[in-house]
Amino acid sequence: MTINNPTVLLVDDEIDLCTLIQMGLKRVGIHCDIAHNVTDAKEKLTQYSYDACLTDLNLPDETGLALVKYVTENYTDLPIAVLSAYGNMEIAISALKAGAFDFISKPVNTDTLKNLFDKLFADKKNTTIANLSHIEDQLLIGQSDVMNKLRQALKKVAKTQAPVFIMGESGTGKEVAAKLIHLLSHRKDAPFIAINCGAIPSDLMESELFGYVKGSFTGATQNKIGLIQSADGGTLFLDEIAELPMNMQVKLLRAVQEKRIRPIGSDVEIPVDFRIVSATHQNIEKRIQEGEFRQDLFFRLHVIDIQLPPLRDRGSDILLLAIHFLEKICAEWHIEPKELTLSAKEWLMKQYYVGNIRELRNMIERAVTLSESHLISDANLKTIGHLKSFSQENLNQAPSLQSSNATQIQASQNSIDMQQVWQDGLETYLESIEKKILVETLNKTYWNRTQAAKKLNMSFRSLRYRLKKFGLDED
Ligand SMILES: Nc1ncnc2c1ncn2[C@@H]1O[C@H](COP(=O)(O)OP(=O)(O)OP(=O)(O)O)[C@@H](O)[C@H]1O
């Protein structure tokens, strides 16, 4: 417990239950005031100062949900959690969406309540620390309206336990947003475990996520803790969640619902306390319609959604980010600071950025390498920009660009340079052709990897593997 002599307001119309909870909390050093309806609770809130509030959802005058909304709007520093009857999951989820910190199911016991309040009070303390350091400003560069709103939303979401679903194109900062939710929450000192569901081969997925016990299969020479268990006390970030194989979706649903996992080969279920944040750049609703993603899992993961805007819609944030990366890179590389010329700034503002912030960062990094003075010109940027970024103007002419590229690649495929084959060896030569095909296809699909995988008639997973192999995955 991080607050001395905390006082909580308990709102429930069951008199016996209130007395029982009051006695239980007294034993663990928490003073508990009681209100039996919403009117009474509002009255008490004006008269006394509380460290937390816990409300039932079914109350005689108004609903507990109405009280959650009232507290979140009028007492922004007061964390509120809800008590829900067993099986009332949908209302409990609505309470989380309305700003409740967490919910616990009845019947309640003192240990569960104590854990809940420990988290609530720790969160209150951490929020103050986080506000002082403005970690969200350091991690999330951008002053556009959309970014300011995003920062507010992330701060609000971080205070709750609700699962968060982040959507946005590749490179828009989904992982940064997930990390920020973690750092602004009471879980910040526990691990943040990020898993890219598209990067783990399907046959290894279960053992990676759930772990295994020694002897459960050939090669299991010792116990291995899975990634979910490694996130105990912290946050589990599942990136590219749409890529999770069906059999794993069932197992994940169970882990999210029960907060328990069973390692491969074990008879015992292990309780794990994790907050789940998932992300995808794909149209997940379409995946559900196509039968590729379970609706019930989506329902559990998608309690609060966050949408990250593409960089091209963020106006002058483009320059703020470019300057931020320029300063950072020069500092990291221990070189003299460099500046962007006016023409470089104008050029940057006109680009389309299929790869979003990641693409901008790479562009600046390569331009720093190429520039020979303290100035970065548009020429330094263009040299690398043409590879995959189409300017807004070029975008309209993209088909003709594509067909000329297509002709080039055809030419290079048709003429095999035998001297080169003998010089490099067959393996290296074939790899260079494979890389060319990947880049051409990605250019054609504006670096949309899902479309590129379709065009190449391969799975997304397999494309990602190849991109990684050739250093085209950029992270
Ligand atoms: N607002 C921001 N301010 C500063 N850097 C950012 C911001 N958003 C993203 N970045 C940087 O951009 C790069 C891409 O971000 P991130 O990996 O979070 O994107 P993503 O949406 O998760 O991408 P993917 O869908 O490919 O996994 C990282 O280097 C990250 O540090």
Side-chain angles (χ1 to χ4, degrees), residues 139-141 147 169-176 239-240 281 314 321 324-325 357-358 361 449 475:
L139 274 187
L140 269 193
I141 306 296
M147 283 313 277
E169 291 177 16
S170 186
T172 44
K174 297 186 291 296
E175 181 157 353
V176 175
D239 200 2
E240 307 286 10
H281 71 279
R314 287 179 49 188
L321 280 158
H324 164 78
F325 288 136
I357 302 173
R358 180 179 296 115
R361 195 199 144 99
R449 289 170 295 180
D475 257 357

mmCIF file of all heavy atoms in Angstrom, residues 139-141 147 169-176 239-240 281 314 321 324-325 357-358 361 449 475, ligand 1:
data_model
loop_
_atom_site.group_PDB
_atom_site.id
_atom_site.type_symbol
_atom_site.label_atom_id
_atom_site.label_comp_id
_atom_site.label_asym_id
_atom_site.label_seq_id
_atom_site.Cartn_x
_atom_site.Cartn_y
_atom_site.Cartn_z
ATOM 1 N N LEU A 139 8.110 10.766 -25.466
ATOM 2 C CA LEU A 139 7.982 9.592 -26.336
ATOM 3 C C LEU A 139 7.172 9.874 -27.589
ATOM 4 O O LEU A 139 7.433 9.318 -28.647
ATOM 5 C CB LEU A 139 7.312 8.450 -25.578
ATOM 6 C CG LEU A 139 8.182 7.552 -24.739
ATOM 7 C CD1 LEU A 139 7.384 6.398 -24.198
ATOM 8 C CD2 LEU A 139 9.335 6.992 -25.566
ATOM 9 N N LEU A 140 6.138 10.691 -27.440
ATOM 10 C CA LEU A 140 5.243 10.939 -28.573
ATOM 11 C C LEU A 140 5.449 12.352 -29.084
ATOM 12 O O LEU A 140 4.897 13.299 -28.551
ATOM 13 C CB LEU A 140 3.789 10.828 -28.119
ATOM 14 C CG LEU A 140 3.059 9.509 -28.193
ATOM 15 C CD1 LEU A 140 1.589 9.737 -27.988
ATOM 16 C CD2 LEU A 140 3.295 8.780 -29.505
ATOM 17 N N ILE A 141 6.264 12.477 -30.118
ATOM 18 C CA ILE A 141 6.519 13.806 -30.677
ATOM 19 C C ILE A 141 5.328 14.193 -31.555
ATOM 20 O O ILE A 141 4.790 13.362 -32.283
ATOM 21 C CB ILE A 141 7.809 13.783 -31.533
ATOM 22 C CG1 ILE A 141 8.980 13.220 -30.723
ATOM 23 C CG2 ILE A 141 8.133 15.152 -32.110
ATOM 24 C CD1 ILE A 141 9.399 14.018 -29.540
ATOM 25 N N MET A 147 -2.635 14.577 -32.317
ATOM 26 C CA MET A 147 -1.647 14.024 -31.375
ATOM 27 C C MET A 147 -1.945 14.461 -29.948
ATOM 28 O O MET A 147 -1.777 13.699 -29.001
ATOM 29 C CB MET A 147 -0.230 14.450 -31.762
ATOM 30 C CG MET A 147 0.338 13.698 -32.905
ATOM 31 S SD MET A 147 0.110 11.915 -32.779
ATOM 32 C CE MET A 147 1.474 11.463 -31.750
ATOM 33 N N GLU A 169 -1.894 2.329 -39.600
ATOM 34 C CA GLU A 169 -1.003 1.790 -40.632
ATOM 35 C C GLU A 169 0.358 1.438 -40.024
ATOM 36 O O GLU A 169 0.689 1.917 -38.938
ATOM 37 C CB GLU A 169 -0.778 2.859 -41.718
ATOM 38 C CG GLU A 169 -1.993 3.137 -42.544
ATOM 39 C CD GLU A 169 -1.744 4.253 -43.569
ATOM 40 O OE1 GLU A 169 -0.579 4.596 -43.848
ATOM 41 O OE2 GLU A 169 -2.735 4.779 -44.068
ATOM 42 N N SER A 170 1.108 0.676 -40.780
ATOM 43 C CA SER A 170 2.430 0.277 -40.321
ATOM 44 C C SER A 170 3.313 1.514 -40.101
ATOM 45 O O SER A 170 3.296 2.440 -40.913
ATOM 46 C CB SER A 170 3.035 -0.628 -41.385
ATOM 47 O OG SER A 170 4.226 -1.127 -40.928
ATOM 48 N N GLY A 171 4.030 1.530 -38.992
ATOM 49 C CA GLY A 171 4.975 2.621 -38.732
ATOM 50 C C GLY A 171 4.356 3.881 -38.158
ATOM 51 O O GLY A 171 5.018 4.912 -38.055
ATOM 52 N N THR A 172 3.084 3.829 -37.759
ATOM 53 C CA THR A 172 2.437 5.044 -37.222
ATOM 54 C C THR A 172 2.724 5.228 -35.732
ATOM 55 O O THR A 172 2.329 6.230 -35.143
ATOM 56 C CB THR A 172 0.906 5.007 -37.427
ATOM 57 O OG1 THR A 172 0.428 3.711 -37.093
ATOM 58 C CG2 THR A 172 0.527 5.349 -38.848
ATOM 59 N N GLY A 173 3.336 4.232 -35.089
ATOM 60 C CA GLY A 173 3.694 4.395 -33.670
ATOM 61 C C GLY A 173 2.823 3.567 -32.740
ATOM 62 O O GLY A 173 2.664 3.926 -31.570
ATOM 63 N N LYS A 174 2.316 2.429 -33.218
ATOM 64 C CA LYS A 174 1.432 1.613 -32.368
ATOM 65 C C LYS A 174 2.196 1.064 -31.164
ATOM 66 O O LYS A 174 1.692 1.054 -30.044
ATOM 67 C CB LYS A 174 0.787 0.474 -33.186
ATOM 68 C CG LYS A 174 -0.114 0.999 -34.304
ATOM 69 C CD LYS A 174 -0.853 -0.092 -35.009
ATOM 70 C CE LYS A 174 0.016 -1.001 -35.845
ATOM 71 N NZ LYS A 174 0.682 -0.327 -36.979
ATOM 72 N N GLU A 175 3.427 0.631 -31.424
ATOM 73 C CA GLU A 175 4.198 0.086 -30.302
ATOM 74 C C GLU A 175 4.576 1.194 -29.315
ATOM 75 O O GLU A 175 4.566 0.981 -28.100
ATOM 76 C CB GLU A 175 5.460 -0.638 -30.815
ATOM 77 C CG GLU A 175 6.248 -1.228 -29.669
ATOM 78 C CD GLU A 175 7.150 -2.385 -30.056
ATOM 79 O OE1 GLU A 175 7.097 -2.844 -31.212
ATOM 80 O OE2 GLU A 175 7.906 -2.827 -29.183
ATOM 81 N N VAL A 176 4.872 2.381 -29.839
ATOM 82 C CA VAL A 176 5.201 3.504 -28.953
ATOM 83 C C VAL A 176 3.992 3.805 -28.061
ATOM 84 O O VAL A 176 4.129 4.015 -26.846
ATOM 85 C CB VAL A 176 5.582 4.760 -29.775
ATOM 86 C CG1 VAL A 176 5.814 5.949 -28.872
ATOM 87 C CG2 VAL A 176 6.822 4.490 -30.602
ATOM 88 N N ASP A 239 1.456 -7.402 -30.964
ATOM 89 C CA ASP A 239 1.467 -6.660 -32.220
ATOM 90 C C ASP A 239 1.049 -7.608 -33.347
ATOM 91 O O ASP A 239 1.268 -8.815 -33.248
ATOM 92 C CB ASP A 239 2.893 -6.129 -32.448
ATOM 93 C CG ASP A 239 2.909 -4.981 -33.428
ATOM 94 O OD1 ASP A 239 1.826 -4.581 -33.898
ATOM 95 O OD2 ASP A 239 4.002 -4.469 -33.720
ATOM 96 N N GLU A 240 0.491 -7.057 -34.397
ATOM 97 C CA GLU A 240 0.024 -7.854 -35.549
ATOM 98 C C GLU A 240 -0.891 -8.977 -35.070
ATOM 99 O O GLU A 240 -0.755 -10.129 -35.490
ATOM 100 C CB GLU A 240 1.204 -8.470 -36.326
ATOM 101 C CG GLU A 240 2.290 -7.505 -36.765
ATOM 102 C CD GLU A 240 1.878 -6.612 -37.927
ATOM 103 O OE1 GLU A 240 0.676 -6.621 -38.268
ATOM 104 O OE2 GLU A 240 2.734 -5.886 -38.419
ATOM 105 N N HIS A 281 -2.359 -3.504 -38.191
ATOM 106 C CA HIS A 281 -2.486 -2.521 -39.272
ATOM 107 C C HIS A 281 -3.530 -3.030 -40.269
ATOM 108 O O HIS A 281 -3.819 -2.387 -41.249
ATOM 109 C CB HIS A 281 -1.136 -2.311 -39.980
ATOM 110 C CG HIS A 281 -0.718 -3.496 -40.805
ATOM 111 N ND1 HIS A 281 -0.115 -4.598 -40.259
ATOM 112 C CD2 HIS A 281 -0.866 -3.768 -42.118
ATOM 113 C CE1 HIS A 281 0.116 -5.478 -41.210
ATOM 114 N NE2 HIS A 281 -0.340 -5.008 -42.345
ATOM 115 N N ARG A 314 -0.789 14.460 -40.586
ATOM 116 C CA ARG A 314 -0.423 15.129 -39.336
ATOM 117 C C ARG A 314 0.267 16.468 -39.536
ATOM 118 O O ARG A 314 0.910 16.995 -38.621
ATOM 119 C CB ARG A 314 0.437 14.183 -38.489
ATOM 120 C CG ARG A 314 -0.389 13.062 -37.883
ATOM 121 C CD ARG A 314 0.434 12.110 -37.082
ATOM 122 N NE ARG A 314 1.301 12.777 -36.136
ATOM 123 C CZ ARG A 314 2.223 12.160 -35.419
ATOM 124 N NH1 ARG A 314 2.385 10.857 -35.547
ATOM 125 N NH2 ARG A 314 2.972 12.824 -34.580
ATOM 126 N N LEU A 321 8.897 15.966 -36.267
ATOM 127 C CA LEU A 321 9.487 14.625 -36.170
ATOM 128 C C LEU A 321 10.828 14.570 -36.895
ATOM 129 O O LEU A 321 11.797 13.991 -36.390
ATOM 130 C CB LEU A 321 8.530 13.584 -36.751
ATOM 131 C CG LEU A 321 7.404 13.163 -35.817
ATOM 132 C CD1 LEU A 321 6.232 12.584 -36.591
ATOM 133 C CD2 LEU A 321 7.900 12.136 -34.790
ATOM 134 N N HIS A 324 13.333 16.267 -34.811
ATOM 135 C CA HIS A 324 13.597 15.422 -33.636
ATOM 136 C C HIS A 324 14.561 14.281 -34.006
ATOM 137 O O HIS A 324 15.557 14.044 -33.313
ATOM 138 C CB HIS A 324 12.257 14.872 -33.128
ATOM 139 C CG HIS A 324 12.368 13.719 -32.192
ATOM 140 N ND1 HIS A 324 12.711 13.873 -30.863
ATOM 141 C CD2 HIS A 324 12.185 12.382 -32.388
ATOM 142 C CE1 HIS A 324 12.725 12.679 -30.286
ATOM 143 N NE2 HIS A 324 12.418 11.766 -31.192
ATOM 144 N N PHE A 325 14.281 13.602 -35.128
ATOM 145 C CA PHE A 325 15.137 12.477 -35.520
ATOM 146 C C PHE A 325 16.538 12.969 -35.889
ATOM 147 O O PHE A 325 17.536 12.329 -35.567
ATOM 148 C CB PHE A 325 14.518 11.703 -36.683
ATOM 149 C CG PHE A 325 13.301 10.896 -36.281
ATOM 150 C CD1 PHE A 325 12.155 10.890 -37.068
ATOM 151 C CD2 PHE A 325 13.292 10.160 -35.107
ATOM 152 C CE1 PHE A 325 11.029 10.157 -36.685
ATOM 153 C CE2 PHE A 325 12.178 9.425 -34.724
ATOM 154 C CZ PHE A 325 11.041 9.431 -35.513
ATOM 155 N N ILE A 357 6.013 7.011 -39.811
ATOM 156 C CA ILE A 357 7.120 7.604 -39.049
ATOM 157 C C ILE A 357 8.410 6.801 -39.212
ATOM 158 O O ILE A 357 9.496 7.349 -39.285
ATOM 159 C CB ILE A 357 6.723 7.724 -37.564
ATOM 160 C CG1 ILE A 357 5.464 8.581 -37.479
ATOM 161 C CG2 ILE A 357 7.839 8.352 -36.738
ATOM 162 C CD1 ILE A 357 4.846 8.649 -36.114
ATOM 163 N N ARG A 358 8.262 5.486 -39.325
ATOM 164 C CA ARG A 358 9.464 4.665 -39.504
ATOM 165 C C ARG A 358 10.177 5.063 -40.790
ATOM 166 O O ARG A 358 11.396 5.178 -40.841
ATOM 167 C CB ARG A 358 9.082 3.183 -39.530
ATOM 168 C CG ARG A 358 10.297 2.297 -39.709
ATOM 169 C CD ARG A 358 9.964 0.833 -39.727
ATOM 170 N NE ARG A 358 9.426 0.374 -38.482
ATOM 171 C CZ ARG A 358 8.191 -0.086 -38.334
ATOM 172 N NH1 ARG A 358 7.389 -0.147 -39.367
ATOM 173 N NH2 ARG A 358 7.770 -0.497 -37.174
ATOM 174 N N ARG A 361 11.974 8.403 -40.345
ATOM 175 C CA ARG A 361 13.201 8.252 -39.560
ATOM 176 C C ARG A 361 14.328 7.677 -40.429
ATOM 177 O O ARG A 361 15.450 8.153 -40.419
ATOM 178 C CB ARG A 361 12.943 7.333 -38.352
ATOM 179 C CG ARG A 361 14.047 7.443 -37.335
ATOM 180 C CD ARG A 361 14.123 6.306 -36.362
ATOM 181 N NE ARG A 361 15.524 6.082 -36.090
ATOM 182 C CZ ARG A 361 16.178 6.527 -35.027
ATOM 183 N NH1 ARG A 361 15.545 7.153 -34.083
ATOM 184 N NH2 ARG A 361 17.462 6.334 -34.887
ATOM 185 N N ARG A 449 2.343 -4.549 -46.903
ATOM 186 C CA ARG A 449 2.918 -5.900 -46.890
ATOM 187 C C ARG A 449 1.888 -6.989 -47.108
ATOM 188 O O ARG A 449 2.184 -8.040 -47.665
ATOM 189 C CB ARG A 449 3.689 -6.107 -45.585
ATOM 190 C CG ARG A 449 4.967 -5.300 -45.563
ATOM 191 C CD ARG A 449 5.614 -5.297 -44.228
ATOM 192 N NE ARG A 449 4.777 -4.612 -43.251
ATOM 193 C CZ ARG A 449 5.103 -4.461 -41.984
ATOM 194 N NH1 ARG A 449 6.219 -4.942 -41.535
ATOM 195 N NH2 ARG A 449 4.307 -3.809 -41.167
ATOM 196 N N ASP A 475 13.092 -2.576 -38.526
ATOM 197 C CA ASP A 475 13.164 -2.372 -37.074
ATOM 198 C C ASP A 475 14.070 -3.397 -36.439
ATOM 199 O O ASP A 475 14.089 -4.507 -36.821
ATOM 200 C CB ASP A 475 11.776 -2.444 -36.436
ATOM 201 C CG ASP A 475 11.300 -1.036 -36.116
ATOM 202 O OD1 ASP A 475 12.073 -0.102 -36.356
ATOM 203 O OD2 ASP A 475 10.164 -0.904 -35.659
HETATM 204 N N1 LIG B 1 5.048 10.105 -32.118
HETATM 205 C C1 LIG B 1 6.281 9.610 -32.260
HETATM 206 N N2 LIG B 1 7.335 10.336 -31.870
HETATM 207 C C2 LIG B 1 8.592 9.879 -32.053
HETATM 208 N N3 LIG B 1 8.885 8.705 -32.627
HETATM 209 C C3 LIG B 1 7.884 7.939 -33.017
HETATM 210 C C4 LIG B 1 6.523 8.331 -32.831
HETATM 211 N N4 LIG B 1 5.732 7.361 -33.300
HETATM 212 C C5 LIG B 1 6.552 6.413 -33.775
HETATM 213 N N5 LIG B 1 7.840 6.742 -33.604
HETATM 214 C C6 LIG B 1 9.008 5.954 -34.069
HETATM 215 O O1 LIG B 1 8.646 5.407 -35.353
HETATM 216 C C7 LIG B 1 9.085 4.063 -35.497
HETATM 217 C C8 LIG B 1 7.884 3.156 -35.756
HETATM 218 O O2 LIG B 1 7.039 3.134 -34.606
HETATM 219 P P1 LIG B 1 6.303 1.793 -34.107
HETATM 220 O O3 LIG B 1 7.208 0.603 -34.202
HETATM 221 O O4 LIG B 1 5.688 2.083 -32.792
HETATM 222 O O5 LIG B 1 5.186 1.674 -35.258
HETATM 223 P P2 LIG B 1 4.080 0.517 -35.474
HETATM 224 O O6 LIG B 1 2.835 1.215 -35.867
HETATM 225 O O7 LIG B 1 4.043 -0.360 -34.260
HETATM 226 O O8 LIG B 1 4.669 -0.273 -36.720
HETATM 227 P P3 LIG B 1 4.310 -1.788 -37.246
HETATM 228 O O9 LIG B 1 2.845 -1.798 -37.592
HETATM 229 O O10 LIG B 1 5.146 -1.954 -38.449
HETATM 230 O O11 LIG B 1 4.656 -2.727 -36.135
HETATM 231 C C9 LIG B 1 9.840 3.731 -34.221
HETATM 232 O O12 LIG B 1 11.215 3.996 -34.457
HETATM 233 C C10 LIG B 1 9.296 4.729 -33.204
HETATM 234 O O13 LIG B 1 10.220 5.010 -32.192
#
